[in-house]
Structures are given as structure tokens and as C-alpha cells.
Amino acid sequence: MLVAIAGGHGKIARRLTQLLVAHGEQVRGLIRNPDHAADLRADGAEPAVCDIEHAGAVEIARVIAGADAVVFAAGAGPGSGPERKWTVDRDGAIKLLEAARGAGVERYLMVSSIGAEDPPDGDDVFSVYLRAKAQADAALMASDREWTILRPVHLTDDEGTGRVQIDAEPLRGEVPRDDVATVLHTMLHEPESARSVLYVRAGDDPVDVALARALAHLT
């Protein structure tokens, strides 16, 4: 499997890359900053310089050509203003969707956020961020791709436990980025997770068990 990850130098993306590579799979990491290429190579990924904020869908399609799946793990970052929430978190995700369609990539995993299910109306940066994520999610859900949307709760850099709770209803709490990456990795190999919106937090079940339980409740 070849997985193309938008936002390839992000914290979740690099953890996911390392999991994929450890399992013998290939990763193409899309990055804005060429200086990050060495880090991706060290993780075992193929770096591809492609600024999804400014690149068009046709250019992105060329970069992801040949991939079996794409993962949107990009973001404008906590220090950015409201405008970049639209241009990266929403528009970047939608351009990746258009590119996936153009490149014939069926599988699309979206790293979204708790709160995107009912985003607030405020003008503060976080409210805008959640509305941008909600609109990106809606575009993906309306598409013809084999999509899965994962909405983690508050993210931490704690060491992962490999144990989570996954649910189709919003959750509250925290979850290590390590465990979010493990959930994404598991979803990439579970076709039954397609066309699902799922939430994740720290929990008691191994990831594969938690995912299977959540999917069983959807059927």
C-alpha cells in the first residue's frame, strides 16, 4: 500500500508514517517546507514538496498519483489567524478531495476534530477552525470517495497506550497522538470503516477491538 499524507511533517502524520513503514508500506508525505524533507526520509517516507494551500487540485493530483489512499493531516497550526483556517483546513482538504478524484484514489481519511459536528458561530480563531473543519467534512461526506472521518478529542503528546474508545457519537476527554495514528493505521486496513464518522478518546480497549465494536454498532 502507498499512502499519501497531506501535512506529512505534522505530529500525527509522522507517527502514522512510522507505523506504516514499520509494517512494510510506502508513504509519500506532502510538505510545504523543503527543509522538512530530511525528517520524512529519516522516517522512511518519500517527501513531496507540495503546498496544498496554494497548489491547485491538478498539481496535487500529480503528486499523489499512484497512491492507494490519501490522509488529510494538514492544518494551519495554532499560531495562524482565521483566514488560514479557511485556506488550509477547509480548502486544502477539499483540493485534496478533488485531486484524489482526479488521480483515481478511492480511499480518503480525514483527521478532523471534536466540535466539527456542531461548530460555534463566533469569530474567534477556534470557532472559525471548527467551521472550516465542518465544511471540509461535509464536502468529503457528499463525495463519491471511500471516506472515513476521524474526530479526536483533545490531543496530547503523552505516550500512547494502544487502548482507546471509538464511537459514532461525540466523546469528551483526551487522547495521545500516538493512539490517533494507530487508529488511522487500523482504519486504512479496515474497509468496513469507509463512510463512517467516528470519534476517539483514550479508553480501555485495544484499537482493533474498539474499532470493530464501533463499526458493529453502525450496522
Side-chain angles (χ1 to χ4, degrees):
M1 177 183 285
L2 170 59
V3 181
I5 305 178
H9 196 259
K11 291 182 177 182
I12 291 174
R14 291 191 67 188
R15 288 165 166 84
L16 175 58
T17 293
Q18 291 160 13
L19 280 172
L20 287 163
V21 170
H23 284 80
E25 289 153 320
Q26 297 175 286
V27 178
R28 185 175 299 150
L30 280 63
I31 51 175
R32 177 180 60 85
N33 187 345
D35 293 341
H36 292 158
D39 289 338
L40 267 64
R41 291 192 188 97
D43 292 338
E46 171 197 353
V49 178
C50 180
D51 183 355
I52 62 167
E53 184 176 14
H54 298 105
V58 172
E59 179 183 346
I60 298 170
R62 287 196 293 267
V63 174
I64 66 172
D68 300 291
V70 295
V71 179
F72 186 82
S80 59
E83 181 57 34
R84 295 197 67 227
K85 305 306 181 188
W86 298 120
T87 57
V88 179
D89 294 277
R90 181 191 62 185
D91 298 346
I94 292 172
K95 283 190 284 187
L96 183 64
L97 170 59
E98 295 168 353
R101 188 179 292 113
V105 182
E106 295 290 336
R107 196 75 170 99
Y108 188 129
L109 267 61
M110 175 82 83
V111 182
S112 184
S113 173
I114 183 71
E117 69 280 354
D118 186 21
D121 294 329
D123 294 328
D124 60 286
V125 172
F126 190 62
S127 295
V128 173
Y129 165 74
L130 289 178
R131 292 203 301 277
K133 296 299 285 185
Q135 291 181 26
D137 290 356
L140 185 57
M141 286 187 277
S143 77
D144 59 353
R145 299 298 92 184
E146 291 295 303
W147 53 265
T148 305
I149 294 170
L150 183 63
R151 292 175 173 165
V153 296
H154 178 71
L155 298 166
T156 75
D157 288 324
D158 297 340
E159 184 175 352
T161 66
R163 293 181 177 272
V164 297
Q165 179 183 350
I166 300 174
D167 203 292
E169 298 298 325
L171 300 169
R172 293 292 181 266
E174 296 184 340
V175 64
R177 288 177 172 86
D178 283 350
D179 290 332
V180 173
T182 303
V183 172
L184 291 167
H185 181 259
T186 305
M187 286 176 164
L188 281 167
H189 296 85
E190 177 47 84
E192 293 300 317
S193 68
R195 301 193 170 271
S196 300
V197 180
L198 296 168
Y199 297 81
V200 61
R201 71 177 178 188
D204 298 324
D205 290 328
V207 168
D208 58 343
V209 173
L211 180 59
R213 179 171 293 158
L215 295 176
H217 288 160
L218 292 174
T219 58

